[in-house]
Amino acid sequence: MNICFKVHAKIAYFYVKTFYLLTLFHRLSSKLDNNTGRLTTDCTEEIKMWSFESVAVVALNTRLSLVARDKPDSNVLKIVDGMNVFFDKAYTYDVS
């Protein structure tokens, strides 16, 4: 077995506990309308927030509280807005 794989596997296992708390399905199930069984929020935005939260946990070793709270901190939302602009521009210039 390659030594790099062992290191990456250990790092991944370390963060599994944190990701367990950040399950997307738990978040989405809390946003379901009991009468209709449909989501009350935009699913794409929820996935985006969960993705940013997951990357922040691994890359920055911090939680942005995008998934844990209904209303995240305004500074964190500015970062998310900046990332959205970045990905939109990257797609436009890369694909177009």
Side-chain angles (χ1 to χ4, degrees):
M1 182 179 283
N2 190 340
I3 188 69
C4 292
F5 178 75
K6 287 181 183 178
V7 173
H8 292 298
K10 287 181 182 180
I11 292 170
Y13 180 74
F14 174 75
Y15 289 109
V16 165
K17 294 177 187 176
T18 304
F19 286 127
Y20 181 75
L21 299 174
L22 300 175
T23 57
L24 177 63
F25 298 114
H26 184 283
R27 172 76 175 177
L28 291 177
S29 67
S30 70
K31 300 290 182 179
L32 286 177
D33 183 5
N34 291 333
N35 296 328
T36 62
R38 294 180 181 252
L39 287 175
T40 57
T41 61
D42 183 14
C43 187
T44 305
E45 286 299 314
E46 293 294 328
I47 291 172
K48 196 182 304 181
M49 294 295 189
W50 183 81
S51 300
F52 286 150
E53 181 82 18
S54 301
V55 169
V57 168
V58 174
L60 305 174
N61 199 21
T62 189
R63 296 181 68 175
L64 300 176
S65 297
L66 294 169
V67 178
R69 292 189 246 162
D70 285 330
K71 184 72 173 159
D73 184 29
S74 64
N75 290 331
V76 172
L77 290 177
K78 288 179 186 177
I79 293 171
V80 170
D81 289 340
M83 292 302 296
N84 285 331
V85 170
F86 169 77
F87 285 121
D88 287 339
K89 297 294 182 189
Y91 177 80
T92 300
Y93 294 125
D94 217 19
V95 176
S96 300

